[in-house]
């Protein structure tokens, strides 16, 4: 099943609609979708390494647009924002206390962007600060990934394809560890 999913994502990345799908995924991740755009950015860049920075820019711009909508939901539609955040299964009051303490720095933490975007609006973080930190953090992330894949693409692709189960397992362990850290750290 893992191989089929990988092959499907790689085939999607090779299609002419890949940049559109990438932009849509990046936008949705900032508002309601739990899957980060990196899962599509990486194969799209591997498919066309000559367009790596263009794809990073598409991902960044669409992610910022989605995050800005998430911020607006949190700021202007707080009941909707609370509802979206409740879907994550987390304790909103605990997250709010954490956000009050760390503020915009949470945007740099690898937790779903929708959480920090909506929470930033709910906590009335200055929109300019939210946007500036988002541009910096997400720009470095997407740009760095794209640049590394542009330079070292084939060896990375070969490594992932040869050790797909290991890579997927390591990613799953990292996600679980991050969730446990966030859940029990306070």
């Amino acid at each position: 099943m893992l191989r089929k999913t990988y092959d499907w994502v790689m085939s999607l990345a090779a299609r002419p609609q890949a940049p559109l799908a990438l932009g849509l995924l990046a936008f949705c991740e900032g508002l309601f979708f739990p899957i980060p755009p990196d899962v599509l950015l990486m194969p799209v860049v591997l498919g066309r390494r000559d367009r790596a920075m263009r794809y990073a820019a598409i991902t960044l711009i669409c992610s910022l647009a989605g995050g800005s909508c998430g911020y607006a939901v949190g700021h202007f539609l707080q009941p909707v924002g609370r509802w979206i955040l409740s879907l994550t299964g987390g304790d909103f009051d605990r997250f709010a206390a954490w956000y009050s303490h760390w503020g915009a720095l949470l945007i740099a933490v690898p937790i779903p962007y929708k959480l920090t975007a909506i929470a930033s609006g709910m906590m009335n973080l200055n929109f300019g600060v939210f946007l500036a930190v988002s541009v910096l953090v997400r720009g470095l992330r997407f740009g760095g990934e794209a640049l590394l894949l542009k330079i070292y693409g084939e060896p990375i692709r070969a490594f992932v394809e040869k050790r797909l189960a290991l890579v997927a397992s390591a990613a799953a362990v990292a996600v679980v560890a991050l969730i446990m850290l966030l859940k029990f750290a306070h």
Side-chain angles (χ1 to χ4, degrees), residues 64-65 67-68 107 113 125-136:
L64 293 173
S68 296
I107 297 169
Y113 187 49
L125 178 68
N126 178 287
F127 182 71
V129 171
F130 167 76
L131 209 51
V133 173
S134 294
V135 167
L136 177 67

Side-chain angles (χ1 to χ4, degrees), residues 71-140:
Y71 179 97
V73 166
H75 188 75
F76 297 112
L77 304 169
Q78 287 198 8
V80 175
R82 272 187 179 268
W83 175 74
I84 292 172
L85 292 178
S86 74
L87 296 176
T88 64
D91 178 352
F92 177 76
D93 294 326
R94 188 176 202 187
F95 185 76
W98 223 44
Y99 194 93
S100 294
H101 182 66
W102 295 102
L105 291 176
L106 281 183
I107 297 169
V109 175
I111 58 177
Y113 187 49
K114 69 176 181 186
L115 296 178
T116 54
I118 293 170
S120 293
M122 292 178 87
M123 302 298 183
N124 296 314
L125 178 68
N126 178 287
F127 182 71
V129 171
F130 167 76
L131 209 51
V133 173
S134 294
V135 167
L136 177 67
V137 170
R138 296 181 82 72
L140 287 172

Side-chain angles (χ1 to χ4, degrees), residues 23-176:
L24 184 62
L25 178 62
F27 177 84
C28 292
E29 187 249 352
L31 184 56
F32 64 87
F33 202 58
I35 298 174
D38 313 66
V39 299
L40 191 53
L41 174 62
M42 290 181 200
V44 168
V45 169
L46 286 172
R48 289 291 310 262
R49 290 178 23 214
D50 59 314
R51 296 184 179 177
M53 300 318 288
R54 178 184 306 172
Y55 294 146
I58 289 169
T59 306
L60 176 62
I61 291 166
C62 293
S63 177
L64 293 173
S68 296
C69 287
Y71 179 97
V73 166
H75 188 75
F76 297 112
L77 304 169
Q78 287 198 8
V80 175
R82 272 187 179 268
W83 175 74
I84 292 172
L85 292 178
S86 74
L87 296 176
T88 64
D91 178 352
F92 177 76
D93 294 326
R94 188 176 202 187
F95 185 76
W98 223 44
Y99 194 93
S100 294
H101 182 66
W102 295 102
L105 291 176
L106 281 183
I107 297 169
V109 175
I111 58 177
Y113 187 49
K114 69 176 181 186
L115 296 178
T116 54
I118 293 170
S120 293
M122 292 178 87
M123 302 298 183
N124 296 314
L125 178 68
N126 178 287
F127 182 71
V129 171
F130 167 76
L131 209 51
V133 173
S134 294
V135 167
L136 177 67
V137 170
R138 296 181 82 72
L140 287 172
R141 174 175 152 189
F142 300 140
E145 286 173 9
L147 187 60
L148 287 173
L149 289 169
K150 181 178 182 171
I151 296 169
Y152 303 107
E154 282 312 309
I156 291 171
R157 180 185 214 155
F159 178 85
V160 168
E161 288 181 356
K162 192 174 189 179
R163 297 169 184 86
L164 187 57
L166 177 66
V167 171
S169 298
V173 167
V175 167
V176 169

